[in-house]
Each structure stands twice: as structure tokens, then as C-alpha cells.
Amino acid sequence: EMLQQSKSIMDNIRLVIDNFQTEEWDKLESHRQNLKNIYNHTQLIIYCSFIMSIISYLAAIYLFNRLDWQLKGKDLELYQRENLLQGILSNVVDGVILLNNAGKIDSLNTTTLKMFGYESTEMIDRDLGEFISSQNQPDNIPLWNTLQPVVIPLSALASRKIGQPFPVE
């Protein structure tokens, strides 16, 4: 009878162990399936990121090339305008001085160089006030501040390289 009871207990234990093992195998298979899904999603995200990176790279190259072409076009336009301005300056009979925003001499024509007696390198990037002084201008205000687009000309005295003054407008 004890043998029968022991056998029955052992059968119950085996049944519990088999059920436990079956449950664990099912859980393991479920975890493997979840892991496989996560792996597939991760691979999909990696591929999408890779494709987006390539598209972004190609878009950046396209935009930079387009900007480069626009910049080259603007450079060519500026070069043409500078050549036109230099052509006009070199063919004008009067002396012409062009100033930058700081009031420094940016460019001038050959007539101006002959009038003042300087070389162009001696006048470019220097203040206009070093060569011309207004007759009615206070000394503490730079001359180029009064050279705004006006209807009436500004009379001034200029100095040649040798120090001889001459009138200018």
C-alpha cells in the first residue's frame, strides 16, 4: 500500500514537473518570439535610418551644389559690374573718387591721380579727409559724413602731393 501511495505521489510530482516544464517551454518560446519581433523592428529601423541618411546626404550635396552655382553666378555678375564701373571710371573726363561705407577711398580714376599727383596705392584705403578739406566743414566731423546724396555740390579744397591746394566739388 505504501508502494502504491509512493507511486501515486511520484506520478503527481512527475505530472506537476511536466506541467511546469511545458509552461516554461511556452514562456521561453513566447520570449523568443518577442525577441525575434524586436530584432525585426530594430533591423527595419536601422534600414530606414540608413536610407534616410543617404537621402539627406544626397539632398545636402544637391543643395550645396545649387548654392555653389548661385554663388558663382553672383560672382560673375559682380565681376561684370566691376568691369563696367572700371570702364566708366577710366573713360570719364572728370576726376572721380568712390568711397566705401567707412569713408575710405575705394577706387578712383586716372584723371584723379593726375589731379592729385599720387599713385593709386598711395590713395586707396585712406580717408578722403587726408586729401580734401571742406571750406565750411568743422574739423571734428569727417568730410565723408557730409557726402550724402545731395542736390547741391559741396565745394572743398584738395591738396596735391606737392602741397599745392586746388578747388574741387
Side-chain angles (χ1 to χ4, degrees):
E1 198 176 299
M2 280 185 79
L3 186 62
Q4 192 62 19
Q5 278 183 344
S6 295
K7 186 176 183 280
S8 168
I9 291 174
M10 280 306 283
D11 285 342
N12 284 336
I13 290 175
R14 281 189 187 120
L15 185 62
V16 169
I17 288 176
D18 283 344
N19 287 339
F20 178 74
Q21 189 176 14
T22 305
E23 286 177 17
E24 288 301 311
W25 279 110
D26 289 343
K27 286 181 181 179
L28 180 61
E29 187 59 34
S30 173
H31 287 302
R32 281 184 182 164
Q33 188 62 36
N34 285 340
L35 184 61
K36 185 177 179 181
N37 288 340
I38 290 172
Y39 177 78
N40 289 338
H41 284 99
T42 304
Q43 290 297 331
L44 180 64
I45 290 171
I46 288 172
Y47 290 138
C48 289
S49 298
F50 178 71
I51 290 170
M52 291 301 293
S53 297
I54 289 174
I55 291 171
S56 298
Y57 175 73
L58 293 175
I61 288 175
Y62 170 75
L63 290 175
F64 281 124
N65 282 338
R66 187 170 173 188
L67 286 173
D68 188 43
W69 277 105
Q70 288 177 350
L71 185 60
K72 286 180 182 177
K74 293 293 181 183
D75 283 346
L76 180 61
E77 186 179 324
L78 180 63
Y79 176 74
Q80 289 172 343
R81 286 182 183 203
E82 285 177 357
N83 282 341
L84 177 64
L85 180 62
Q86 285 298 351
I88 291 170
L89 278 178
S90 63
N91 291 314
V92 172
V93 177
D94 293 333
V96 177
I97 298 174
L98 299 178
L99 303 176
N100 60 21
N101 290 337
K104 304 233 185 237
I105 299 173
D106 190 43
S107 62
L108 36 86
N109 64 358
T110 54
T111 306
T112 303
L113 296 173
K114 288 177 187 174
M115 288 169 59
F116 282 85
Y118 288 96
E119 296 293 323
S120 64
T121 56
E122 295 175 297
M123 292 185 76
I124 297 223
D125 288 331
R126 292 183 56 192
D127 286 329
L128 180 63
E130 295 180 37
F131 304 101
I132 300 174
S133 61
S134 174
Q135 296 167 346
N136 301 325
Q137 183 72 19
D139 290 337
N140 59 351
I141 299 175
L143 176 66
W144 67 271
N145 281 346
T146 62
L147 296 177
Q148 301 303 320
V150 292
V151 178
I152 57 172
L154 175 70
S155 296
L157 279 178
S159 296
R160 291 190 171 90
K161 187 174 184 178
I162 58 174
Q164 179 185 13
F166 64 99
V168 293
E169 283 187 346

